[in-house]
Amino acid sequence: MELKELQLSHFRNYDQVKLDFQSGVNIFLGQNAQGKTNLLESIYVLALARSHRSNNDQDLIEWGQSKAKISGRVQNRLGTTPISLQFSRKGKQARVNHLDQSRLSSYIGQLNVILFAPEDLELVKGAPSVRRRFIDMEFGQMNVSYLSQVSQYRKVLKERNTYLKQIQAKKSSDMVFLDVLTEQLIQFGTQVIRARQHFIQKLGEIAQPIHAEISNQSEELSLIYQSNVPLVNVIEEVAAIEANFTQALQRQAKREIIQGTTLVGPHRDNFKILINQNDVSLYGSQGQQRTAALALKLAEIDLMQEETGEYPVLLLDDVLSELDASRQTHLLMAIQNKVQTFITTPTLSEVTRQLIEQPKIFEIKAGQVQVKESGHLY
């Protein structure tokens, strides 16, 4: 899968811009606060209909404008597809092949991307919510059914929490309605847990040899999915998850009413990243944490290809400066001639100059883009 063309209208600090990309490596070169990350962000937004930098879509619209639009042309094994997103105060409108999409779940997956940014260290050492969001964003691109299940689960969870608060405040007392919401929560939550187990198991299997290679065979990485629904096996059967989920909710029924919130379910789950059986978030050095994050991102590339039949587009947002020469080398050698890649960087390191073959370079200054011809960097 490749992004062949990108067109922006009133996005961030770009008034109007249209760019064509090559299959290999595309580099956005520029100093800080010139717009190179905004350009990379636009590709991410085009793929996932949301930004990784802001929860407010209005932040994406150029100052003084009422709407912004991102358009792209995506090429995969089936052909070329135009896609677009428009943002305004009324919301966002997604189109595929110039046809409006009533649901974002039918839009997401047209362009699959993997983003690797300095803040991805939080994936290793951050809160469980960071890792849950990682699963939902990445696996959601690979599996439309999972995206739908998560959406339905969140909707029921919100309704159930609202009703628990009403019972807590003695404004409602219909326990039959609570039972209906509980049954729906178990139904959708069971599917979410089982899908996440599958994702983490497969990601760990692919990441393990990658991590071993980066660490010169000195360390072993493993991933463990942690659910507050008691689980015995790595991949549980649906019936077993449902039974355990039901029992766990029954045990917490009184506490949920007292606290006015749902205490059991995948919205509280996590996964551990272990190196040599030790939790890297607690006991790993910064170097080990960086290596683990890099291994997971590289593993995603192969997992996405395995799940969808297409390699994703890789977005590297100023990560080369965060990696030492050895990790830079592993990263660049892993992606060379494999996936279309977009790199933002203020300068080109010696490793980059030696390892990247004929990149296309876009020099960015104050929201203006100047394209250099493809060629060696030295």
Side-chain angles (χ1 to χ4, degrees):
M1 179 176 290
E2 295 180 0
L3 179 63
K4 307 304 291 185
E5 177 185 292
L6 178 71
Q7 189 166 354
L8 305 180
S9 176
H10 305 308
F11 180 87
R12 293 284 194 183
N13 66 329
Y14 290 96
D15 185 58
Q16 302 288 333
V17 66
K18 183 178 180 180
L19 301 173
D20 296 311
F21 302 124
Q22 69 174 22
S23 297
V25 176
N26 300 270
I27 297 178
F28 300 148
L29 185 65
Q31 296 304 307
N32 293 335
Q34 300 304 304
K36 62 183 186 296
T37 294
N38 291 346
L39 208 54
L40 200 76
E41 178 190 28
S42 72
I43 300 174
Y44 185 92
V45 174
L46 182 65
L48 291 166
R50 60 176 294 175
S51 171
H52 63 290
R53 301 164 70 197
S54 173
N55 291 323
N56 185 358
D57 290 340
Q58 298 305 305
D59 293 341
L60 307 179
I61 301 174
E62 184 183 15
W63 180 259
Q65 300 295 327
S66 60
K67 60 184 178 181
K69 187 175 182 180
I70 313 171
S71 304
R73 190 162 51 84
V74 180
Q75 182 176 303
N76 58 29
R77 67 186 188 280
L78 300 177
T80 302
T81 305
I83 61 175
S84 69
L85 274 174
Q86 182 168 287
F87 299 87
S88 69
R89 290 178 178 83
K90 296 180 181 179
K92 49 194 164 194
Q93 180 59 62
R95 290 183 175 177
V96 177
N97 263 329
H98 310 293
L99 298 175
D100 289 346
Q101 304 298 300
S102 58
R103 295 182 301 173
L104 286 178
S105 59
S106 62
Y107 172 85
I108 294 173
Q110 301 296 324
L111 171 62
N112 292 331
V113 299
I114 290 175
L115 171 69
F116 191 18
E119 58 265 28
D120 280 318
L121 273 179
E122 288 299 305
L123 174 61
V124 177
K125 62 182 183 180
S129 59
V130 176
R131 287 180 286 280
R132 287 195 297 270
R133 184 177 184 274
F134 164 77
I135 297 175
D136 292 347
M137 296 300 292
E138 307 306 331
F139 194 41
Q141 292 185 82
M142 305 178 200
N143 190 310
V144 176
S145 296
Y146 175 74
L147 200 63
S148 175
Q149 289 158 3
V150 169
S151 177
Q152 290 171 313
Y153 178 79
R154 288 174 180 160
K155 182 180 178 182
V156 174
L157 177 65
K158 185 177 180 180
E159 291 180 16
R160 191 173 188 271
N161 284 341
T162 298
Y163 196 67
L164 283 169
K165 285 181 172 63
Q166 290 175 359
I167 297 175
Q168 179 193 44
K170 302 190 185 307
K171 294 180 180 179
S172 298
S173 59
D174 184 358
M175 303 307 289
V176 174
F177 182 59
L178 179 61
D179 289 341
V180 171
L181 292 175
T182 300
E183 288 178 9
Q184 292 176 348
L185 189 83
I186 293 169
Q187 176 190 347
F188 297 128
T190 295
Q191 297 299 327
V192 170
I193 291 170
R194 196 163 192 269
R196 284 180 177 176
Q197 284 185 306
H198 167 80
F199 175 76
I200 291 301
Q201 182 192 36
K202 295 296 294 183
L203 187 67
E205 290 173 355
I206 297 172
Q208 193 172 61
I210 294 173
H211 185 274
E213 184 179 350
I214 298 174
S215 65
N216 295 315
Q217 309 300 322
S218 64
E219 296 174 346
E220 182 179 11
L221 177 142
S222 57
L223 305 180
I224 298 177
Y225 186 72
Q226 293 183 308
S227 177
N228 66 351
V229 173
L231 303 173
V232 177
N233 300 313
V234 175
I235 298 293
E236 288 277 12
E237 293 299 323
V238 169
I241 298 174
E242 283 184 348
N244 292 339
F245 201 168
T246 301
Q247 291 171 10
L249 283 168
Q250 289 171 345
R251 286 193 294 269
Q252 297 291 343
K254 291 182 180 179
R255 283 186 61 208
E256 287 189 331
I257 291 174
I258 293 171
Q259 297 184 27
T261 191
T262 302
L263 298 175
V264 179
H267 62 288
R268 289 173 172 253
D269 288 356
N270 190 15
F271 71 89
K272 275 189 176 182
I273 303 168
L274 306 179
I275 293 180
N276 295 338
Q277 300 305 310
N278 293 315
D279 188 337
V280 70
S281 68
L282 300 176
Y283 305 108
S285 66
Q286 190 174 60
Q288 287 177 316
Q289 291 173 348
R290 291 182 191 279
T291 300
L294 176 57
L296 290 182
K297 287 295 175 178
L298 292 176
E300 273 191 85
I301 295 173
D302 289 330
L303 180 56
M304 195 167 284
Q305 193 278 332
E306 186 176 310
E307 292 285 333
T308 69
E310 298 274 2
Y311 279 111
V313 171
L314 182 62
L315 310 177
L316 303 178
D317 189 11
D318 205 20
V319 295
L320 296 181
S321 61
E322 297 289 321
L323 301 174
D324 59 24
S326 174
R327 292 183 181 89
Q328 282 190 40
T329 299
H330 277 287
L331 172 59
L332 296 176
M333 289 184 68
I335 64 176
Q336 192 75 270
N337 302 319
K338 188 174 186 179
V339 294
Q340 186 188 34
T341 304
F342 295 86
I343 300 173
T344 68
T345 182
T347 58
L348 296 170
S349 70
E350 191 60 33
V351 172
T352 307
R353 293 175 184 275
Q354 292 175 0
L355 292 180
I356 298 180
E357 299 175 1
Q358 296 186 316
K360 188 170 186 178
I361 302 175
F362 301 81
E363 288 188 330
I364 300 166
K365 187 174 181 180
Q368 300 297 314
V369 184
Q370 182 178 0
V371 184
K372 280 192 168 185
E373 292 299 320
S374 300
H376 288 288
L377 300 175
Y378 54 92

